[in-house]
């Protein structure tokens, strides 16, 4: 069942159409693709097709759509801005066609019925295959248990999984010698194969255990720039080194990399861990045969670039100069505004900035306030019912437009994360928006020359749009602080 409202957006400014489709469903990535397909239709100025979660309703409202009060999470919203009413039929036909295309299964010479459960799918999987779970968080426990019962390692991409379920899964895995990566594990490289968001790197002497997705990717990209490869990168989820989880998956990851003869040095990278867990981890790592470098972010701790430099030094590899492209002008206002797709990159920037500026807030609302703010747009709160900002930049671009128009903004910090799983052309999406930002913009591009988005092209697009581009997130943040200090 559907309900629809069409209304003029203003004299001579076209018309809008908002339609609720109750009971219709598609996942956030599919709906992103539908939205982009419809935006390319003649007569369509803007299109957003999304499930009517509170966050998506907020985005739609900010785009000028009048979403009916009755809209709820089980409704699909089709919202289009049109040149005129004549364009509506074509736009809705494009929506239907794109939804049909998104729901099609792969075609072949024979129709193969899909497996209905993880357990039955794993019966046909190759020996040693890892189960990748990507379902709404409330359903991840059952699927992951199916995989553990089948004797498989698990990567849980899903977020919003209760911590008590994570602990239960990892305790069971530890008893069975299995590895649970996640929940909310976005990055892993297993057996040379990238899972989730992963950069393309050469094999080499380093093994990573990462309770941090973009922290892992920052190390991958910096080490790759220095000519050092990585054998494996085992993501364990951002809560693994919390007091509740106690590093259960990190220990299993360390045990496996210690047993790998190709690994000469193990690096553990994490968001700020619980102090007691960090102490236990240090003791555990000291007992291994393979040396371990701990890159645990926190106040007073080395940043990720410093950690990469320590790894290079331990391997006897010269530390290069981290590249910078372009040059930012002077700060225009008093405040730092950070809009990040990567949670660890945001956390690192916040830690570095706080040492110089004092309090740096993290809530999205703070981007419109009177304080310094660095926001992670990949946080669970901002990804419920919509794709991660490394896939769908819409929400971050909306906030960037507001920040760019605010005269209090002094410097804008952004990140662009490349690699498999990420947006096809993130710089292409971001560069036009930079033209409306009066303040200097510093962008960290996390990527390697072998990534599918073409690192060189991504950097060139951003630099040509006026941004100063860094490979090191710590370097970009410190440069932003220099610009603010010079203004003061």
């Amino acid at each position: 069942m559907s309900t629809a409202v069409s209304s003029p957006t203003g004299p001579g400014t076209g018309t809008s159409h908002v339609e609720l489709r109750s009971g219709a469903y598609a996942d956030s990535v599919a709906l992103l693709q539908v939205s982009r397909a419809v935006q390319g239709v003649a007569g369509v100025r803007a299109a957003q097709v999304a499930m009517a979660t509170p966050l998506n309703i907020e985005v739609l409202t900010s785009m000028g759509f009048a979403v009916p009060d009755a809209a709820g999470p089980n409704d699909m919203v089709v919202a289009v801005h049109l040149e005129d009413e004549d364009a509506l039929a074509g736009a809705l036909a494009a929506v239907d066609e794109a939804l049909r295309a998104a729901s099609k299964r792969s075609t072949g010479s024979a129709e193969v019925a899909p497996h209905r459960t993880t357990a039955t799918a794993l019966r046909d999987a190759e020996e040693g295959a890892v189960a990748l779970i990507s379902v709404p968080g409330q359903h991840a426990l059952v699927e992951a248990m199916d995989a553990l019962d089948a004797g498989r390692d698990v990567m849980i991409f899903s977020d919003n999984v209760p911590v008590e379920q994570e602990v239960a899964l990892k305790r069971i895995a530890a008893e069975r010698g299995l590895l649970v990566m996640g929940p909310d594990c976005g990055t892993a490289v297993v057996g040379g194969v990238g899972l989730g968001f992963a950069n393309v790197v050469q094999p080499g002497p380093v093994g990573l255990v990462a309770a941090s997705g973009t922290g892992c990717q920052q190390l991958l990209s910096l080490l790759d720039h220095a000519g050092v490869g990585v054998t494996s990168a085992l993501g364990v989820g951002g809560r693994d080194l919390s007091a509740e989880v106690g590093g259960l998956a990190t220990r299993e990851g360390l045990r496996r990399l210690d047993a790998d003869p190709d690994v000469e040095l193990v690096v553990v990278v994490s968001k700020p861990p619980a102090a007691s867990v960090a102490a236990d981890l240090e003791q555990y790592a000291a007992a291994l045969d393979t040396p371990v470098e701990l890159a645990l972010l926190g106040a007073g701790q080395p940043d990720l670039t410093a950690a990469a430099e320590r790894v290079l030094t331990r391997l006897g590899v010269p530390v290069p100069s981290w590249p910078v492209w372009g040059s930012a002008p002077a700060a225009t206002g008093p405040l730092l505004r950070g809009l990040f797709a990567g949670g660890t990159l945001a956390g690192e920037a916040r830690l570095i900035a706080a040492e110089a500026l004092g309090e740096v807030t993290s809530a999205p609302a703070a981007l419109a306030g009177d304080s310094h703010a660095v926001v992670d747009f990949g946080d669970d709160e901002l990804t419920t019912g919509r794709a991660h900002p490394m896939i769908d930049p819409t929400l971050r671009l909306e906030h960037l437009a507001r920040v760019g128009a605010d005269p209090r903004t002094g410097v804008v910090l952004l990140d662009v994360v490349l690699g498999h799983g990420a947006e096809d052309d993130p710089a292409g999406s971001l560069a036009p928006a930079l033209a409306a930002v009066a303040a200097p913009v510093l962008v960290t591009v996390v990527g390697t020359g072998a990534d599918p988005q073409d690192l060189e092209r991504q950097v060139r697009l951003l630099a040509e749009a006026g941004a100063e581009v860094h490979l090191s997130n710590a370097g970009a943040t410190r440069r932003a602080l220099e610009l603010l200090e010079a203004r003061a």
Side-chain angles (χ1 to χ4, degrees):
M1 183 179 73
S2 66
T3 57
V5 176
S6 295
S7 59
T9 55
T13 59
T15 185
S16 292
H17 176 87
V18 178
E19 179 177 316
L20 293 186
R21 299 186 177 186
S22 299
Y25 175 80
D27 66 51
S28 54
V29 175
L31 291 176
L32 171 65
Q33 294 168 340
V34 171
S35 299
R36 288 177 174 171
V38 179
Q39 285 170 2
V41 174
V44 175
R45 291 177 173 173
Q48 186 80 347
V49 183
M51 300 307 294
T53 63
L55 176 61
N56 285 336
I57 291 175
E58 180 182 334
V59 172
L60 287 159
T61 302
S62 71
M63 293 173 70
F65 292 112
V67 182
D69 293 339
N74 293 323
D75 300 318
M76 181 185 292
V77 184
V78 176
V80 287
H81 283 313
L82 304 161
E83 297 286 349
D84 52 46
E85 285 285 352
D86 293 341
L88 179 58
L92 294 181
V95 170
D96 294 335
E97 177 57 31
L99 286 170
R100 280 194 295 274
S103 66
K104 282 183 180 175
R105 300 188 184 280
S106 59
T107 58
S109 57
E111 185 76 15
V112 178
H115 294 283
R116 294 187 175 276
T117 69
T118 300
T120 58
L122 288 172
R123 288 177 198 152
D124 295 336
E126 293 180 4
E127 185 73 21
V130 176
L132 175 57
I133 309 295
S134 180
V135 297
Q138 64 266 36
H139 306 301
L141 174 67
V142 173
E143 306 306 328
M145 271 307 307
D146 269 1
L148 292 177
D149 286 342
R152 306 291 184 155
D153 292 333
V154 184
M155 176 176 173
I156 306 175
F157 189 79
S158 314
D159 56 11
N160 290 301
V161 176
V163 68
E164 59 270 20
Q165 294 183 3
E166 177 177 352
V167 172
L169 287 168
K170 288 183 172 177
R171 283 179 177 167
I172 292 170
E175 293 168 0
R176 301 176 184 180
L178 297 172
L179 177 63
V180 172
M181 295 181 279
D184 201 11
C185 178
T187 298
V189 179
V190 180
V193 177
L195 302 175
F197 301 115
N199 300 100
V200 181
V201 296
Q202 59 185 316
V206 175
L208 289 168
V209 179
S212 152
T214 50
C216 177
Q217 291 191 265
Q218 172 77 108
L219 284 178
L220 289 173
S221 63
L222 292 175
L223 293 177
D224 182 85
H225 180 75
V228 172
V230 172
T231 297
S232 299
L234 305 177
V236 292
R239 295 187 304 212
D240 194 71
L241 294 182
S242 66
E244 294 89 343
V245 184
L248 287 165
T250 298
R251 286 170 176 255
E252 176 62 17
L254 281 169
R255 184 189 69 78
R256 292 185 180 205
L257 294 178
D258 186 42
D260 186 338
D262 293 330
V263 176
E264 297 176 18
L265 177 66
V266 179
V267 183
V268 179
V269 57
S270 173
K271 300 171 186 174
S276 60
V277 179
D280 289 344
L281 176 64
E282 187 171 2
Q283 189 174 9
Y284 182 83
L288 300 176
D289 292 331
T290 309
V292 177
E293 181 73 37
L294 298 178
L296 309 178
L297 288 175
Q301 297 298 311
D303 57 57
L304 294 172
T305 302
E309 292 172 351
R310 293 199 318 202
V311 169
L312 296 174
T313 299
R314 290 184 70 157
L315 292 172
V317 176
V319 176
S321 297
W322 305 115
V324 178
W325 300 269
S327 180
T332 54
L335 298 178
L336 174 68
R337 306 295 201 191
L339 298 85
F340 282 77
T344 300
L345 299 176
E348 180 184 54
R350 203 177 298 121
L351 283 166
I352 294 171
E355 291 177 359
L357 301 174
E359 183 180 8
V360 179
T361 52
S362 59
L367 291 172
D370 293 322
S371 61
H372 303 289
V374 174
V375 174
D376 167 23
F377 281 85
D379 187 82
D380 286 4
E381 178 187 351
L382 299 176
T383 55
T384 302
R386 62 179 307 114
H388 192 279
M390 283 161 58
I391 301 172
D392 179 3
T394 307
L395 187 62
R396 184 164 74 151
L397 290 176
E398 288 278 333
H399 281 78
L400 178 60
R402 296 174 200 166
V403 163
D406 187 342
R408 297 170 298 175
T409 298
V411 180
V412 176
L413 267 177
L414 300 167
D415 61 347
V416 166
V417 185
L418 309 182
H420 290 302
E423 194 180 358
D424 291 340
D425 184 16
S429 299
L430 185 58
L434 299 185
V437 180
V441 178
L442 307 178
V443 183
T444 301
V445 175
V446 176
T448 73
D451 283 334
Q453 293 90 351
D454 187 347
L455 173 65
E456 185 177 340
R457 176 177 177 276
Q458 296 294 309
V459 167
R460 186 178 68 251
L461 285 175
L462 294 167
E464 288 175 352
E468 181 176 305
V469 185
H470 293 244
L471 194 66
S472 161
N473 186 54
T477 305
R478 292 199 171 89
R479 170 68 169 150
L481 296 175
E482 288 176 5
L483 294 173
L484 284 175
E485 184 178 0
R487 179 183 183 276

